[in-house]
Amino acid sequence: MRSSVRHRSLLERAAAAPHVVWAILFIVAPLLFVIYFAMTDAEGNITLKNLASLADYSNIFLLSVSFAFIATLICLLLGYPLAYFMSRASKPARRALLLLLMLPMWISLLIRTYSLMALLDNGGLLNTLLVSLGFERIKIIGTGGAVILGMIYDFLPYMVLPIFTVLTKLDPRYIEAAADLGCNGLQVLGRVILPLSLPGVISGITMVFVPSISTFYISQKLGGGAFELIGDTIERQFQHPSTYHTGAAISLVMMILIIISVAIMNRFSDNGGGFVV
Amino acid sequence: MKKESVLIRLRGISKSFDGETVLDNIDLDIHDKEFITLLGPSGCGKTTTLRIIGGFETPDSGEVFFEGKLINDLPPYRRQVNTVFQRYALFPHLNVFENIAFGLRIKKLCEEEIRTRVKEMLALVNLRGFEKRHVSTLSGGQQQRVAIARALVNNPKVLLLDEPLAALDLKLRKDMQNELKNIQQKTHITFIYVTHDQEEALTMSDTVVVMSEGRIQQIGSPVDIYNEPVNAFVADFIGESNILDGVMLEDYKTKFSGQVFSCLDYGFEKNEPVDIVIRPEDVDVVPVERGMLTGKVINVTFKGVHYEVIVEIDGFKWMIQTTDYVAPEATVGIYIEPDAIHVMKKSQYSGKIGDYSSYSEELEHLSDVNEIPPAEVRYEE
């Protein structure tokens, strides 16, 4: 492997070319644009004003982080037991559960969010049902809870799948060894299964937290406009050419924050052995 | 060896997986402080027997007693046994110290006692100074030692060892055999050892249990098993043997290969058909005129200490081990002392094994037991 890195054949270079072009066009170039816009004003002069103005958005940052944090935590609390249960199920049951979990993922995120609206709206299915049963209508859409629920609903599979994968690959002999050394079921879980599935947990946390913190349509559709998250702010800034620069600055800071948190997360899983998000 | 009291008693144990019988009505007594080896080819049920004692499998029928108490339904964590697993199963998220300390932490011992006992164990298995090492950085032999220490630190009444040396190379395996025996003698813990390697079994054990097809064939000391095999399977599996079809004429007199021989065996029916076992090292090659039987040398192989000679007598190919050179194609006589003849009752294995007619160097290697067998451990999917 190492030698092929040093002397790549022409064919190998040719095979990699489409990917390199793609990466430059759609990843590297936009990134450079973001950095450029973040560091310049409307006349193209270099300035730190955009970054300095971010202090005005600290409340939105805070709200986004806390919503994403709560959603991720609940996803973890729901997702881990589900993944554990699935990994323990018989093969046919496991396949059926996996299909059920994956099925919504084949539908566009946007459509799923709209369908959640249809369910939870004041005139939606849930409230119609409640009224017909003689209960009061509950206002769900437009609350913070609805936004968090949307995040959980949309991103839960991303928590379950990596944990499930790690758990199914766990050598059953570790569990037997723990039982042999005196662990009851709960101790086996706490001292062996949990630590050994940490890479999956870290992966799941990252895969839920990152899209949750940057979402804008979930908060718009389910928050009823009452909650502005950082994703909404960025979207709004990019709708007017005059505020491109602020939008770029917010994006840049977001990116840096996410990269830092992913790096910290990967630190934790270092002990678990070669694992990358 | 003086027999200690019975520690583990298996009665009528049967077990099958997917309708395939793995254990068929096993009865076995395991004595305190004994080094007992379950020996047999892969698929004979030895590992399943061990897993039933460890609590990882429940027998379909039969009873497991530990110190007289029925423990069929006792989960592994409540049994006073610890296991050294095949391929070790060391915890990859813990270092050497924490792996060994694992059982003690579950028992919630104080930090100081844990440290003392782990240190003692590391000394016992010759791994002083390895505390901080990560298990993935250890060699196979070192991992093996950690696995033994991790089990022994809990002071179990019984240590179960599931082919613990199978993954090590020959030289290391010999060293570890001695070391295991020493550890067992030092700690006075009952060892139940599973292996398919007959030499390993003979070297280390107080008692050998030979198993085949889910049944116990013979239980005895290594010397008994070697010198007095009960049937053709045991005779063939333990060491080399010539197994001939014979008739017991009367007490101390048997007939095979068309000749009558005196022997030391008695208690058979008159003219009862029997299997005769003669070990290759017990046959003397002599000049034709002094021979009890005569035959032609088919093959001679130099083995270092001795020559392995295949001699065809009356259509049966004998294996003979001799320190004197014999020329191929020569006609020779063979001489057998009465005490070299061992007479066995006929069994289901009679006639299936024993002749060296298919003998060749290649086959010798194929049947060599040093290779790692397919894992016999089965997990329910």
Side-chain angles (χ1 to χ4, degrees):
Chain A
M1 268 324 271
R2 209 173 299 153
S3 69
S4 70
V5 172
R6 272 184 281 125
H7 312 282
R8 267 206 191 128
S9 74
L10 208 64
L11 193 73
E12 277 177 293
R13 282 163 195 264
H19 178 73
V20 172
V21 171
W22 177 276
I24 289 173
L25 270 182
F26 295 107
I27 300 173
V28 179
L31 264 177
L32 292 176
F33 272 117
V34 168
I35 295 170
Y36 170 77
F37 277 115
M39 307 296 255
T40 54
D41 59 20
E43 280 78 49
N45 302 316
I46 290 179
T47 173
L48 290 177
K49 215 177 72 215
N50 301 322
L51 289 169
S53 71
L54 292 192
D56 303 342
Y57 301 98
S58 55
N59 280 340
I60 298 174
F61 261 111
L62 219 60
L63 188 71
S64 300
V65 170
S66 31
F67 272 24
F69 179 80
I70 294 168
T72 308
L73 187 71
I74 295 174
C75 274
L76 181 62
L77 294 178
L78 290 174
Y80 197 97
L82 180 59
Y84 182 76
F85 177 70
M86 279 169 62
S87 72
R88 286 287 166 118
S90 70
K91 268 205 172 137
R94 193 192 283 183
R95 219 171 295 139
L97 285 168
L98 202 60
L99 190 72
L100 281 176
L101 190 76
M102 302 274 279
L103 217 55
M105 288 174 74
W106 297 345
I107 303 164
S108 152
L109 225 59
L110 214 56
I111 294 174
R112 270 189 282 156
T113 311
Y114 270 110
S115 65
L116 209 55
M117 257 176 91
L119 280 175
L120 305 178
D121 215 354
N122 272 345
L125 197 65
L126 182 71
N127 274 324
T128 315
L129 198 71
L130 283 177
V131 170
S132 69
L133 289 174
F135 292 100
E136 287 283 301
R137 235 175 251 283
I138 336 171
K139 177 181 155 66
I140 302 172
I141 299 296
T143 62
V147 177
I148 292 171
L149 181 71
M151 291 173 175
I152 295 167
Y153 175 70
D154 281 345
F155 303 130
L156 183 65
Y158 299 105
M159 180 65 82
V160 178
L161 287 177
I163 298 174
F164 168 75
T165 309
V166 171
L167 284 177
T168 44
K169 280 198 230 140
L170 194 75
D171 191 335
R173 263 185 318 224
Y174 294 136
I175 295 166
E176 287 190 351
D180 185 75
L181 294 165
C183 285
N184 59 32
L186 215 59
Q187 287 168 318
V188 173
L189 187 69
R191 287 181 179 260
V192 175
I193 298 176
L194 267 178
L196 286 179
S197 60
L198 207 60
V201 172
I202 300 290
S203 190
I205 288 176
T206 314
M207 285 172 74
V208 171
F209 187 77
V210 171
S212 295
I213 202 169
S214 52
T215 183
F216 59 90
Y217 53 88
I218 294 178
S219 47
Q220 282 168 14
K221 299 301 162 213
L222 302 177
F227 299 92
E228 180 166 331
L229 297 186
I230 203 71
D232 303 309
T233 312
I234 295 171
E235 195 216 7
R236 195 157 41 80
Q237 308 289 338
F238 276 105
Q239 278 164 356
H240 303 285
S242 61
T243 49
Y244 263 30
H245 301 275
T246 323
I250 302 172
S251 302
L252 188 64
V253 171
M254 269 283 289
M255 243 175 335
I256 292 168
L257 286 179
I258 288 173
I259 289 169
I260 290 172
S261 44
V262 168
I264 293 171
M265 286 295 214
N266 278 342
R267 260 287 146 99
F268 278 114
S269 65
D270 270 356
N271 294 335
F275 158 79
V276 232
V277 172
Chain B
M1 191 192 108
K2 186 181 121 270
K3 285 280 180 196
E4 299 276 349
S5 60
V6 174
L7 191 63
I8 295 174
R9 196 183 289 273
L10 303 183
R11 282 295 173 267
I13 301 288
S14 292
K15 176 84 188 169
S16 54
F17 292 106
D18 308 324
E20 192 188 324
T21 304
V22 177
L23 287 180
D24 186 5
N25 203 15
I26 296 274
D27 289 331
L28 180 62
D29 286 349
I30 295 162
H31 296 87
D32 202 13
K33 302 185 180 59
E34 178 176 41
F35 195 126
I36 186 166
T37 300
L38 309 180
L39 173 68
S42 66
C44 73
K46 55 192 192 300
T47 296
T48 307
T49 308
L50 196 77
R51 289 173 61 79
I52 284 172
I53 296 170
F56 303 115
E57 305 283 0
T58 326
D60 297 339
S61 61
E63 285 121 29
V64 185
F65 296 98
F66 190 91
E67 293 182 321
K69 281 194 269 310
L70 188 72
I71 58 161
N72 277 30
D73 298 318
L74 206 63
Y77 70 91
R78 292 183 49 202
R79 298 194 180 195
Q80 289 168 291
V81 301
N82 284 112
T83 309
V84 176
F85 289 86
Q86 214 172 17
R87 289 183 293 271
Y88 329 130
L90 298 178
F91 299 122
H93 60 298
L94 301 175
N95 64 18
V96 169
F97 183 95
E98 287 303 327
N99 259 284
I100 298 174
F102 192 90
L104 304 180
R105 294 213 186 281
I106 298 297
K107 288 193 194 119
K108 301 204 160 53
L109 299 187
C110 71
E111 194 61 35
E112 199 170 311
E113 188 177 356
I114 291 176
R115 205 168 307 132
T116 322
R117 279 171 67 175
V118 172
K119 280 246 151 69
E120 271 172 30
M121 275 303 134
L122 282 168
L124 183 74
V125 298
N126 285 321
L127 283 178
R128 277 189 206 85
F130 276 70
E131 288 89 339
K132 291 269 154 30
R133 289 279 291 274
H134 202 266
V135 290
S136 59
T137 66
L138 302 180
S139 70
Q142 289 165 342
Q143 291 186 28
Q144 179 60 72
R145 289 154 198 268
V146 175
I148 292 166
R150 182 179 70 172
L152 279 179
V153 77
N154 304 294
N155 286 329
K157 280 257 170 64
V158 180
L159 188 69
L160 308 179
L161 302 107
D162 186 6
E163 307 238 12
L165 307 183
L168 305 181
D169 63 55
L170 185 66
K171 174 84 175 63
L172 200 54
R173 199 155 65 217
K174 300 266 181 214
D175 295 344
M176 284 304 292
Q177 284 174 15
N178 292 328
E179 220 166 300
L180 275 175
K181 187 73 198 164
N182 286 338
I183 290 173
Q184 197 259 338
Q185 279 161 357
K186 256 189 252 174
T187 53
H188 303 296
I189 291 171
T190 306
F191 276 36
I192 307 178
Y193 193 98
V194 161
T195 184
H196 61 279
D197 183 339
Q198 44 112 355
E199 193 218 320
E200 208 163 272
L202 297 181
T203 310
M204 294 194 287
S205 320
D206 299 317
T207 306
V208 178
V209 180
V210 185
M211 295 181 70
S212 165
E213 295 170 8
R215 282 188 216 100
I216 292 178
Q217 303 295 327
Q218 186 169 6
I219 303 174
S221 71
V223 175
D224 287 346
I225 297 270
Y226 189 83
N227 288 340
E228 310 282 332
V230 294
N231 62 30
F233 176 83
V234 178
D236 181 70
F237 195 74
I238 316 288
E240 302 286 353
S241 35
N242 300 293
I243 304 171
L244 296 107
D245 211 23
V247 173
M248 199 68 187
L249 300 175
E250 55 186 82
D251 284 356
Y252 313 113
K253 196 162 276 181
T254 180
K255 185 179 174 185
F256 56 88
S257 301
Q259 297 285 329
V260 177
F261 294 81
S262 9
C263 63
L264 307 180
D265 301 82
Y266 58 91
F268 292 85
E269 302 282 317
K270 254 190 189 318
N271 295 321
E272 182 178 340
V274 289
D275 285 333
I276 308 288
V277 181
I278 298 164
R279 296 289 184 185
E281 69 272 20
D282 292 338
V283 182
D284 294 327
V285 177
V286 293
V288 174
E289 60 277 11
R290 280 182 45 213
M292 297 164 130
L293 297 167
T294 52
K296 194 175 154 204
V297 177
I298 306 279
N299 189 311
V300 180
T301 314
F302 179 61
K303 287 284 183 183
V305 180
H306 60 260
Y307 293 95
E308 214 158 72
V309 183
I310 305 293
V311 177
E312 184 171 339
I313 299 169
D314 209 12
F316 185 93
K317 294 192 176 66
W318 290 61
M319 178 191 273
I320 299 165
Q321 289 167 352
T322 167
T323 49
D324 301 320
Y325 178 71
V326 186
E329 305 291 308
T331 303
V332 294
I334 63 166
Y335 183 84
I336 306 158
E337 295 279 354
D339 67 355
I341 296 170
H342 173 64
V343 181
M344 306 180 304
K345 292 233 180 240
K346 285 278 179 194
S347 69
Q348 54 162 322
Y349 299 101
S350 300
K352 286 186 191 161
I353 25 191
D355 174 79
Y356 283 87
S357 55
S358 56
Y359 178 82
S360 77
E361 282 293 296
E362 268 169 80
L363 279 172
E364 170 87 329
H365 285 296
L366 281 179
S367 63
D368 200 325
V369 281
N370 290 339
E371 71 204 287
I372 301 170
E376 202 192 326
V377 193
R378 316 178 58 149
Y379 298 103
E380 278 178 278
E381 282 288 323

